[in-house]
C-alpha cells in the first residue's frame, strides 16, 4: 500500500517567509518599529509611509548586520510583497534613500496563499484599461487579450466589476486612491510578474514532507496483521547512522512498504 505523507503540499519556502513575516511584524511595532508618518508624494500627503533609508537602518540595528546584508534582506521583503513602493511601483527593490514605501496589508501576504485567480487579474486589468483609457503596458495588453479569450464566457461580469471598482475608488480621497493604486500594482507584480522578472513565488515541485520533520516509515496493514517476515524487525527503533544509511532525500518520493 502506498502512503503519502499528510504534508505533501508542504512548501519549503514557507518556513523562510514566516521568518520574514515575524521581522515585518516587528517593523510595524508602534514604539520599536520603523518610523512611519505622513509623507508628501508630489502634492499628495500619504499617511503611514516610510523611507527606504529608515527601513534599512532599522534592519541593520535590529539584526546587527552590515549595510549590504540589510540591503539584500530589504530587497527580499519588497520582492515578496511585504512592503510596496509608492513612487516607483515597477521596481520591487528597497532603495537606500528617501524613496517612500508602505506596508502591505497582511491579508495579501504570500503565506495566506490566496490564489491569484484569472478573474481577479482580468478585473484589475480591465479597471486599469478604463483608468488609463486603453494605454496599458505591452505585457498587460497581451494578458488582457489572452484573458478575454480564455474567460470570454464571463467577460461581461469582468467589465461590470471593473467599472464598479473604478467608481468606488473615485469616491475615495486622493491619498487613499494613490496608495491603493500602488498597492494593487505591487501585488500583481508579485503574483503575475511580467516577462524578464524572476517569479519569486515559483516554488517548483512540491516536496512530499517537511525536510525538518523526522520521517517515520509506515507499513501496510496487511503486513502487520499477517505477520509478514521482517515486519516486526523493521518497526523496532533503528539508528540509520549506525547502519550507514544515507539521509532521507528531500525530493518527491513515495513511502512504500510491501511484504
Amino acid at each position: 500500500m502506498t502512503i503519502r505523507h499528510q504534508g505533501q503540499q508542504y512548501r519549503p519556502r514557507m518556513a523562510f517567509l514566516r521568518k520574514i513575516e515575524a521581522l515585518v511584524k516587528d517593523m510595524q511595532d508602534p514604539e520599536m518599529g520603523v518610523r512611519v508618518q505622513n509623507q508628501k508624494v508630489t502634492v499628495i500627503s500619504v499617511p503611514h509611509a516610510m523611507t527606504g533609508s529608515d527601513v534599512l537602518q532599522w534592519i541593520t540595528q535590529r539584526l546587527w548586520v552590515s549595510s549590504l546584508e540589510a540591503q539584500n534582506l530589504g530587497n527580499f521583503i519588497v520582492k515578496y510583497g511585504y512592503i510596496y513602493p509608492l513612487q516607483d511601483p515597477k521596481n520591487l527593490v528597497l532603495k537606500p534613500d528617501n524613496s517612500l514605501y508602505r506596508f502591505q496589508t497582511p491579508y495579501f501576504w504570500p503565506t495566506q496563499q490566496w490564489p491569484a485567480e484569472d478573474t481577479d487579474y482580468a478585473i484589475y486589468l480591465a479597471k486599469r484599461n478604463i483608468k488609463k483609457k486603453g494605454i496599458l503596458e505591452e505585457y498587460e495588453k497581451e494578458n488582457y487579450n489572452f484573458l478575454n479569450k480564455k474567460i470570454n464566457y464571463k467577460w461581461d461580469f469582468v467589465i461590470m466589476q471593473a467599472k464598479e471598482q473604478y467608481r468606488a475608488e473615485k469616491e475615495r480621497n486622493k491619498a487613499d486612491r494613490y496608495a491603493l493604486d500602488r498597492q494593487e500594482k505591487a501585488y500583481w507584480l508579485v503574483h503575475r510578474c511580467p516577462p524578464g522578472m524572476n517569479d519569486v513565488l515559483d516554488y517548483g515541485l512540491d516536496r512530499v514532507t517537511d525536510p525538518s520533520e523526522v520521517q517515520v516509515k509506515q507499513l501496510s496493514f496487511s503486513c502487520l496483521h499477517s505477520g509478514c517476515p521482517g515486519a516486526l524487525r523493521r518497526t523496532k527503533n533503528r539508528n540509520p547512522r549506525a547502519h550507514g544509511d544515507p539521509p532521507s532525500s528531500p525530493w518527491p518520493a513515495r513511502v512504500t512498504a510491501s511484504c
Side-chain angles (χ1 to χ4, degrees):
M1 180 176 74
T2 299
I3 302 174
R4 290 183 67 85
H5 193 278
Q6 290 181 350
Q8 61 187 8
Q9 296 301 320
Y10 176 77
R11 299 290 199 178
R13 198 165 296 180
M14 284 297 160
F16 163 72
L17 292 180
R18 290 192 181 97
K19 292 180 181 179
I20 292 291
E21 288 179 7
L23 187 66
V24 173
K25 289 176 182 177
D26 287 346
M27 286 183 181
Q28 298 179 72
D29 184 276
E31 295 181 1
M32 304 298 293
V34 180
R35 181 181 60 176
V36 296
Q37 58 187 347
N38 290 354
Q39 298 276 10
K40 275 205 169 184
V41 183
T42 60
V43 295
I44 303 171
S45 181
V46 179
H48 309 299
M50 57 198 168
T51 65
S53 58
D54 282 345
V55 174
L56 289 174
Q57 183 180 9
W58 186 92
I59 294 174
T60 302
Q61 295 175 351
R62 175 71 170 77
L63 300 180
W64 290 29
V65 296
S66 67
S67 57
L68 179 60
E69 290 173 312
Q71 180 69 64
N72 289 336
L73 180 55
N75 286 339
F76 271 123
I77 293 172
V78 178
K79 288 181 185 299
Y80 280 96
Y82 293 101
I83 292 175
Y84 62 91
L86 289 172
Q87 293 165 297
D88 190 6
K90 297 180 184 179
N91 294 321
L92 297 182
V93 296
L94 187 66
K95 297 182 179 180
D97 53 26
N98 290 327
S99 297
L100 299 178
Y101 299 82
R102 289 187 84 186
F103 289 110
Q104 179 62 282
T105 304
Y107 180 87
F108 297 112
W109 286 1
T111 52
Q112 298 295 330
Q113 296 183 296
W114 300 119
E117 296 180 346
D118 287 342
T119 302
D120 294 329
Y121 189 42
I123 293 170
Y124 167 74
L125 291 176
K127 183 173 62 174
R128 280 186 62 80
N129 194 48
I130 296 170
K131 191 182 302 183
K132 300 291 184 180
K133 302 187 186 317
I135 303 176
L136 297 176
E137 295 185 44
E138 195 59 38
Y139 81 93
E140 290 178 327
K141 290 180 183 177
E142 292 178 2
N143 288 334
Y144 182 88
N145 294 332
F146 171 77
L147 290 172
N148 187 312
K149 295 177 181 177
K150 182 178 180 181
I151 56 174
N152 187 262
Y153 62 94
K154 56 178 174 180
W155 201 250
D156 289 342
F157 170 79
V158 168
I159 298 300
M160 180 188 70
Q161 287 293 314
K163 288 180 178 178
E164 186 61 33
Q165 289 186 19
Y166 179 64
R167 280 194 296 267
E169 287 180 15
K170 289 184 70 174
E171 296 176 1
R172 296 174 179 266
N173 61 52
K174 288 185 177 180
D176 286 345
R177 287 205 307 268
Y178 184 90
L180 182 61
D181 179 80
R182 272 31 183 191
Q183 182 185 33
E184 282 191 303
K185 178 75 171 177
Y187 174 82
W188 288 112
L189 280 177
V190 172
H191 291 269
R192 293 292 180 98
C193 64
M197 283 184 62
N198 291 326
D199 186 355
V200 295
L201 298 182
D202 181 11
Y203 300 100
L205 295 173
D206 288 349
R207 292 187 181 182
V208 176
T209 60
D210 180 343
S212 65
E213 285 184 347
V214 176
Q215 292 189 356
V216 178
K217 291 185 177 179
Q218 301 184 50
L219 299 173
S220 65
F221 291 109
S222 59
C223 284
L224 293 176
H225 286 288
S226 64
C228 174
L232 294 178
R233 288 197 299 273
R234 290 199 294 270
T235 59
K236 292 182 179 181
N237 292 333
R238 185 168 179 264
N239 184 346
R241 293 187 180 180
H243 291 264
D245 291 351
S248 300
S249 171
W251 302 111
R254 292 183 177 180
V255 181
T256 60
S258 58
C259 295

